[in-house]
Amino acid sequence: DQQVKQNSPSLSVQEGRISILNCDYTNSMFDYFLWYKKYPAEGPTFLISISSIKDKNEDGRFTVFLNKSAKHLSLHIVPSQPGDSAVYFCAASRGSTSGTYKYIFGTGTRLKVLA
Amino acid sequence: NAGVTQTPKFRVLKTGQSMTLLCAQDMNHEYMYWYRQDPGMGLRLIHYSVGEGTTAKGEVPDGYNVSRLKKQNFLLGLESAAPSQTSVYFCASRHLAVGYNEQFFGPGTRLTVL
């Protein structure tokens, strides 16, 4: 049972336009969400995150929106640049009473920004 | 700061052979993780550790063992490799404190089991 889903395996966007990557989750106990970016032959790198007490977080060209009632989050990249071409993973975590934090990752969306 | 490093970068094993993957971090992080990435499956947690001398199972722990004898190192062992363990393995670490939720990943180890 996949608790974090990224239903679009790939996305192509023209340079300068907005890229919107989507992520759905099933576990209402998740309280923190993260987006990672991954280039080929490299490890994922952290991009942006959001706590469940917020519905939006912005960092430069990147904005993450959280809709708790729909159990949905999205990453907006504006404007998209060719260097943004990568695989994007969303991840969700739930703090336990012992303070350990495990992360559940989605399957990733490959973004291609066309020059 | 080297961040998170993984050794080796590539390895080919025959079925039944054993090996150990080494992860090292120089950020004094308490938490360390081992993931595997397979096509269409995303990143799946194998084992993790919340501190020196402690380990716990993740989503897909079967066939793997881990040890955290030193805070900066997290070892992943395959006792008897199987073709199903062909994958890219990533190690990650993060700070203990609440609010520091970002994980830092290593560059990965590509393992092929024939």
Side-chain angles (χ1 to χ4, degrees):
Chain A
D1 178 32
Q2 188 129 22
Q3 297 185 65
V4 178
K5 300 177 185 178
Q6 293 177 257
N7 292 318
S8 298
S10 63
L11 174 69
S12 291
V13 171
Q14 283 294 131
E15 181 179 6
R17 300 287 189 123
I18 184 171
S19 295
I20 300 177
L21 293 88
N22 295 304
C23 180
D24 297 295
Y25 62 96
T26 57
N27 190 339
S28 58
M29 298 299 291
F30 287 141
D31 56 12
Y32 206 84
F33 304 88
L34 307 93
W35 284 94
Y36 286 84
K37 176 179 179 179
K38 185 184 179 305
Y39 292 119
E42 294 183 11
T45 55
F46 171 75
L47 193 57
I48 192 169
S49 63
I50 187 166
S51 163
S52 60
I53 62 173
K54 295 185 176 181
D55 54 20
K56 176 182 174 181
N57 188 28
E58 196 170 350
D59 184 2
R61 297 186 297 115
F62 303 93
T63 303
V64 56
F65 296 92
L66 176 62
N67 182 334
K68 289 188 290 292
S69 61
K71 295 191 181 67
H72 176 84
L73 65 155
S74 61
L75 174 68
H76 293 210
I77 306 173
V78 183
S80 300
Q81 299 173 354
D84 296 329
S85 297
V87 176
Y88 290 79
F89 292 98
C90 68
S93 73
R94 171 187 170 217
S96 70
T97 54
S98 63
T100 59
Y101 289 81
K102 294 193 291 184
Y103 298 79
I104 305 296
F105 282 79
T107 52
T109 296
R110 183 178 301 276
L111 173 66
K112 187 171 184 178
V113 180
L114 307 169
Chain B
N1 274 356
V4 180
T5 58
Q6 292 183 232
T7 309
K9 288 187 169 49
F10 304 94
R11 186 73 186 267
V12 178
L13 289 178
K14 294 181 180 178
T15 296
Q17 287 185 316
S18 64
M19 78 163 293
T20 300
L21 282 69
L22 171 63
C23 176
Q25 52 95 5
D26 61 2
M27 296 173 283
N28 203 34
H29 285 168
E30 290 289 343
Y31 294 165
M32 295 188 75
Y33 306 80
W34 276 107
Y35 293 92
R36 59 179 288 174
Q37 185 194 7
D38 302 292
M41 301 292 287
L43 290 155
R44 292 183 293 168
L45 182 64
I46 304 171
H47 286 281
Y48 65 102
S49 168
V50 300
E52 183 178 322
T54 71
T55 63
K57 294 180 180 180
E59 302 171 72
V60 288
D62 294 342
Y64 305 95
N65 57 74
V66 287
S67 65
R68 183 100 181 265
L69 298 179
K70 293 182 178 180
K71 185 177 183 179
Q72 64 267 33
N73 295 337
F74 195 28
L75 279 67
L76 178 71
L78 286 73
E79 290 184 346
S80 179
S84 61
Q85 293 177 304
T86 293
S87 187
V88 181
Y89 292 86
F90 290 101
C91 176
S93 71
R94 60 152 282 191
H95 197 280
L96 169 67
V98 174
Y100 289 81
N101 287 285
E102 174 188 352
Q103 286 181 309
F104 293 82
F105 282 84
T109 294
R110 185 174 293 276
L111 175 66
T112 301
V113 183
L114 303 175

